[in-house]
Each structure stands twice: as structure tokens, then as C-alpha cells.
Amino acid sequence: MKHCILVKWKDRQEAEEKYGEIRALFDGAVKIPGIAGVEYKSNCVDRENRYDLLILLDMEESALTAYDSSEMHQRWKREYGSLIASKAIFDFR
């Protein structure tokens, strides 16, 4: 399954300064059993109605519970949640 996290930042420049930290955090998700990989896609069109970043996790559906409760996911919400204006989650096979 693909677990997609679409993020729109409150302040794109501020968030982009932390992009390396965010990427390092999500790169650690592969340590969670059932998560095979992570990809990142940045928006290439700077318009108000666009999201800024797609984080795409390749995981087994059974890994979702472990991911949700992981320290890595809790840290994402705790340390970077204040930068997020809106977020959408989408899962597909």
C-alpha cells in the first residue's frame, strides 16, 4: 500500500529550511517493520491553492498501526505540526 501525506505549509520558506530534518525523520520510517521505502515530491508550481510536499510511504497495510504509534510519527506531529496549514492523508494499493 502507498500511504500519502500531502502537506501545505503555513510558511513555505520556513518549512523548506527544515526539509533536511523532515526528510531525515521520515527516512527513519523504514526501520518500522512493514515499511519498505519513502519518497518525497515537492510541488513545482507556486500557487496559493497548491500543496507543497508529498511524502509517500510504501508499506504493508498491517504496518499502519505501528507507524501511527511510532516515536518517529509522534515526533513529526510534535515538532513539525505547527508548520502545517493543512494536511491530507490518502492510502491506495
Side-chain angles (χ1 to χ4, degrees), residues 66-84:
Y67 165 75
D68 283 342
S69 62
S70 71
E71 173 55 32
M72 174 255 131
H73 186 243
Q74 299 307 311
R75 184 173 164 214
W76 159 245
K77 294 191 304 184
R78 183 176 61 245
E79 294 184 19
Y80 302 99
S82 64
L83 301 175
I84 298 172

Side-chain angles (χ1 to χ4, degrees), residues 6-21:
L6 270 169
V7 179
K8 182 167 184 62
W9 304 117
K10 290 178 183 175
D11 181 329
R12 189 174 184 179
Q13 183 176 347
E14 179 184 4
E16 286 179 352
E17 291 171 4
K18 296 183 183 281
Y19 182 69
E21 295 172 24

